[in-house]
Amino acid sequence: MTLAVYNTMSRAKETFVPLDPGHVRMYVCGPTVYDRAHIGNARPVVVFDTLYRLLKRTYPRVTYARNITDVDDKINARAAQSGRSIRDITEETAAWYHQDMDALNALRPDVEPRATEHIGEMIALISALIDKGHAYAAEGHVLFSVASMADYGALSRRSRDEMIAGARVEVAPYKKDPGDFVLWKPSTPDQPGWDSPWGRGRPGWHIECSAMSGKYLGESFDVHGGGQDLVFPHHENEIAQSTCAHGPGTFARYWMHNGYLMVEGEKMSKSLGNFFTVHDLLAKAPGEAIRLTLLSTHYHQPLNWTDDGLTQAKQALDRFYSALERAGEGTADAAAVEAELRPVLAALEDDLNTPAAIAAMHDIAGRLNKSADAAERAVLKSALSQAGGLLGILAQTPESWRRAGAAGGPGDAEIDAMVAARNAARAARDFAEADRLRQALADAGVTLEDGPAGTRWRRG
RNA sequence: GGCCGGAUGGCAGAGUGGUGAUGCAGAGGACUGCAAAUCCUCGUACGUCGGUUCAAUUCCGGCUCCGGCCUCCA
């Protein structure tokens, strides 16, 4: 296969050529654990999980690393304000994060390193940067010297002059250059801190990703992903740290960034009241529907999150599951399945074009619905199911999908009993009673489908 | 102010220098006791103004509008 990815570094779509075809390595910036993940946090997780699934299908070994930032001033602030310990907050939040991302069918990364467990590696990296003349200590801080790096700004395509001209923040007096950024900063006694050659302190934001990606993926690796908002300064500074420490040409080969997420046409923010956590959303929609909504827009485009979009994703899943359920059982010819899956793979291989992949799945589902040939149905069913596996959807049985729904209302047994009563009425041609029962179920949010295999029902 | 994206039919959303993806919604029909699901038919969209071209939604430029980033700092 030929995978093409849009590389932010070159601003062009490039053919993906792994450094080691026997072992593909990718790093994605993970959460700072101080609060529930919101839907904007979920987008890169779902996007890069989909890439991970595609890579795993193509290459014999893939290592996916995603960090957990558990030392950060936002965490300190949360601890001070709540009176709880930092450890309590980070452990609880990391557990929530796992629950929520699991519910979106995001596979766990192979490595999930925590910043606080890699302080030693960070100190070593900072020391190396000082030794090579790329960093300096000043007033308890260690700063990266932007002037020491000729091509600083290559990823975000900013010149240092532009950055200085555009700076709107007062420059700290200990910086030699306004563009210099913090690698290490001093901690007060009440702040978390570690002993270092520069005194007790804590790491700056960017250094952990350089230290941990280097440890788990090597000095050079294939893909580095994250949200577009991380291009500058975070990823720019990671590049500066890693390439200055390890040499030119090292670090990530392909930089992939997902677009921003908006809600109902507006920027998501707490003050606008359009701030949704994944946890809240899971209470009103299945995880797969949330996931499919996130994949319904190409990852590079801005995504406008709407209730209508979520409803449409759920309807698409209804259609896919319904096609799978009506397909029946049968053994599929593997080569034929591969051929049917081709359009889906081709879409994903073209810079992860998930909307086109979903359209290809609709084509498969449509042909599956109208096929009268059992062997063909088995092929199409298998292809649809495998396509779902690549996108991280269609992971449950059609029956559990259609029976899942909002909590409350009649239970499965009660619904089954009402359906049986209605069918008895139909057999007796008492259609008034049959329709009364169906209406009662409809009022409870249950839809009936009479078919050759009997009556099926669905919630929602 | 600097830099970077984006503008496609009622909605969502791909894509392409020349046969109007795909889904949802809507209209008609088949099927059904009635429905639901499914199937069939139906939509002449590409912000604006110019340019290049035999031909532009697709390439180039101006304009308008929308969104984001501008260094650890809220």
Side-chain angles (χ1 to χ4, degrees):
Chain A
M1 86 161 198
T2 307
L3 172 64
V5 299
Y6 181 87
N7 190 348
T8 305
M9 185 62 86
S10 64
R11 308 285 157 104
K13 216 189 269 188
E14 298 179 8
T15 300
F16 178 75
V17 182
L19 286 163
D20 173 4
H23 184 192
V24 173
R25 287 155 289 158
M26 79 168 183
Y27 187 92
V28 174
C29 291
T32 299
V33 282
Y34 69 102
D35 205 355
R36 286 273 189 193
H38 57 69
I39 189 65
N41 300 134
R43 170 127 99 140
V45 172
V46 167
V47 164
F48 291 104
D49 177 64
T50 305
L51 177 64
Y52 181 45
R53 288 166 182 263
L54 181 65
L55 291 171
K56 277 166 81 91
R57 188 183 192 281
T58 310
Y59 296 99
R61 184 176 169 211
V62 180
T63 298
Y64 171 22
R66 185 180 65 203
N67 63 297
I68 289 182
T69 299
D70 58 356
V71 51
D72 181 278
D73 288 353
K74 287 192 282 286
I75 301 172
N76 300 343
R78 185 60 58 101
Q81 153 207 332
S82 64
R84 300 174 59 199
S85 79
I86 286 172
R87 185 85 182 170
D88 258 15
I89 290 170
T90 59
E91 286 302 311
E92 178 184 65
T93 311
W96 284 343
Y97 188 78
H98 283 142
Q99 283 168 20
D100 292 343
M101 298 308 130
D102 288 351
L104 300 181
N105 285 349
L107 303 170
R108 297 279 180 99
D110 298 289
V111 195
E112 203 165 34
R114 291 176 190 233
T116 54
E117 291 168 10
H118 298 80
I119 301 293
E121 286 87 343
M122 296 185 217
I123 289 174
L125 190 60
I126 294 168
S127 296
L129 287 168
I130 293 175
D131 291 346
K132 294 187 179 188
H134 289 294
Y136 58 94
E139 297 182 29
H141 293 72
V142 180
L143 293 135
F144 184 91
S145 170
V146 169
S148 74
M149 183 185 186
D151 54 352
Y152 181 78
L155 182 70
S156 56
R157 303 208 172 178
R158 289 159 203 257
S159 72
R160 283 180 49 231
D161 291 346
E162 283 166 2
M163 283 182 263
I164 295 162
R168 62 180 181 189
V169 178
E170 212 172 311
V171 177
Y174 47 79
K175 288 187 178 181
K176 287 184 186 170
D177 184 297
D180 291 350
F181 58 91
V182 172
L183 299 174
W184 188 264
K185 55 188 166 187
S187 291
T188 58
D190 57 315
Q191 289 172 325
W194 292 261
D195 290 328
S196 81
W198 317 286
R200 183 175 176 280
R202 58 195 195 283
W205 173 27
H206 316 295
I207 195 71
E208 63 171 282
C209 288
S210 283
M212 299 192 294
S213 64
K215 176 171 181 180
Y216 294 101
L217 303 180
E219 293 183 354
S220 291
F221 52 94
D222 298 299
V223 176
H224 193 130
Q228 237 161 45
D229 52 334
L230 296 179
V231 172
F232 190 88
H234 185 53
H235 289 163
E236 196 72 76
N237 292 348
E238 279 187 54
I239 292 169
Q241 294 162 347
S242 290
T243 61
C244 285
H246 300 138
T250 57
F251 211 43
R253 306 277 306 286
Y254 302 94
W255 286 90
M256 296 177 70
H257 294 97
N258 62 273
Y260 303 103
L261 188 134
M262 296 189 298
V263 171
E264 304 285 354
E266 293 181 300
K267 183 184 172 181
M268 181 168 64
S269 76
K270 286 181 179 173
S271 59
L272 286 170
N274 59 3
F275 188 93
F276 301 128
T277 65
V278 174
H279 183 253
D280 289 342
L281 237 32
L282 282 167
K284 65 176 199 179
E288 289 195 356
I290 296 170
R291 181 178 177 110
L292 187 59
T293 306
L294 292 172
L295 294 176
S296 294
T297 299
H298 184 83
Y299 79 92
H300 211 250
Q301 296 288 116
L303 165 55
N304 186 23
W305 183 273
T306 63
D307 274 342
D308 194 47
L310 183 59
T311 302
Q312 289 199 19
K314 185 179 175 303
Q315 286 176 310
L317 287 164
D318 284 340
R319 177 168 146 91
F320 293 148
Y321 274 115
S322 157
L324 290 175
E325 187 164 31
R326 83 179 59 243
E329 299 303 323
T331 309
D333 176 69
V337 172
E338 198 62 24
E340 289 295 347
L341 198 54
R342 220 28 257 170
V344 177
L345 278 168
L348 293 177
E349 287 163 3
D350 182 16
D351 195 29
L352 220 56
N353 191 337
T354 50
I358 293 163
M361 289 177 69
H362 277 293
D363 177 63
I364 295 173
R367 286 185 293 122
L368 175 54
N369 280 334
K370 70 186 88 157
S371 173
D373 180 75
E376 182 184 48
R377 280 204 309 274
V379 167
L380 292 166
K381 178 185 177 183
S382 177
L384 183 58
S385 182
Q386 285 189 38
L390 279 165
L391 289 181
I393 55 173
L394 307 181
Q396 45 195 302
T397 65
E399 184 179 31
S400 68
W401 170 262
R402 64 181 163 75
R403 292 192 170 210
D412 287 10
E414 194 180 339
I415 294 171
D416 286 336
M418 288 174 76
V419 168
R422 170 173 169 271
N423 281 334
R426 288 172 70 210
R429 302 198 68 76
D430 181 357
F431 295 119
E433 173 64 4
D435 289 346
R436 187 191 67 76
L437 283 162
R438 183 172 59 200
Q439 187 57 48
L441 284 164
D443 292 343
V446 177
T447 308
L448 302 186
E449 291 174 23
D450 297 326
T455 299
R456 291 180 181 142
W457 56 263
R458 73 173 66 248
R459 284 195 178 90

